Amino acid sequence: MKKIIIILLVICSNSLSWAQPPRGERLTPAEFRAKQEAFITQKAGLTKEDAAKFFPVYFEMQNEKKALNDNSWNLRKKGKDPATTEAQYDNIIETTLDNRIRVDEIEKEYYKQFRKILSAKQLYKVQHAEMRFHRELLKGVNKKKK
């Protein structure tokens, strides 16, 4: 009888743990963008029409920036190899700096497109909301770690 109770307890405890979402659960890129779009739309006070015109261009810009940032991260990972040469380190640093400059250039280029969609005041509010979104995201991550 004790063996049966122990087996049942083990089965119940295992089934309860399966029902819990996994620790460190991450958002898919689509979920992240949906949350970001909703947050920015609300905080910047964009209309549905403005948001419908703005976010496809905004996410196009984000894709370009992400490609450059991913390239920089991959290069920096290569720098962890003890066999990395001085010339390779120099290339990693130069390319990373060039990528940062290119990200800023992309933002400036897209600003011109954004101005055709939103006013300068609206864009200011979008930038502020974007910073707040990332800040809130980091706060949530820090709370989960504690």
Side-chain angles (χ1 to χ4, degrees), residues 12-144:
C12 287
S13 67
N14 283 340
S15 65
L16 287 175
S17 66
W18 293 332
Q20 300 292 322
R23 283 188 177 207
E25 187 174 311
R26 296 175 188 241
L27 295 174
T28 66
E31 291 169 331
F32 177 86
R33 284 194 169 178
K35 285 182 181 285
Q36 185 180 33
E37 183 175 340
F39 186 92
I40 291 172
T41 299
Q42 193 258 331
K43 295 295 182 188
L46 300 180
T47 65
K48 288 181 183 180
E49 295 80 21
D50 287 340
K53 292 176 193 172
F54 173 73
F55 280 103
V57 181
Y58 175 80
F59 289 132
E60 182 181 301
M61 177 190 72
Q62 296 292 27
N63 290 340
E64 288 185 37
K65 290 170 43 178
K66 183 180 182 326
L68 289 167
N69 289 328
D70 287 349
N71 176 257
S72 293
W73 278 109
N74 289 332
L75 286 172
R76 297 201 62 81
K77 285 179 189 174
K78 289 179 183 178
K80 292 180 179 180
D81 182 357
T84 304
T85 66
E86 191 68 18
Q88 289 171 317
Y89 281 122
D90 191 47
N91 180 52
I92 290 168
I93 294 168
E94 285 283 333
T95 304
T96 301
L97 291 171
D98 289 343
N99 285 346
R100 286 183 194 166
I101 291 167
R102 183 65 190 127
V103 164
D104 288 340
E105 290 170 347
I106 288 169
E107 286 184 357
K108 190 156 189 173
E109 290 166 14
Y110 273 90
Y111 173 75
K112 294 171 188 171
Q113 292 181 48
F114 295 156
R115 280 293 283 128
K116 295 175 184 175
I117 301 167
L118 302 175
S119 70
K121 183 177 182 177
Q122 287 174 310
L123 286 173
Y124 174 82
K125 289 181 176 183
V126 165
Q127 289 177 337
H128 184 71
E130 183 181 28
M131 286 186 288
R132 287 181 61 192
F133 175 76
H134 291 289
R135 193 173 300 136
E136 293 294 321
L137 199 64
L138 288 173
K139 283 181 186 176
V141 168
N142 287 337
K143 284 181 183 177
K144 286 181 183 177

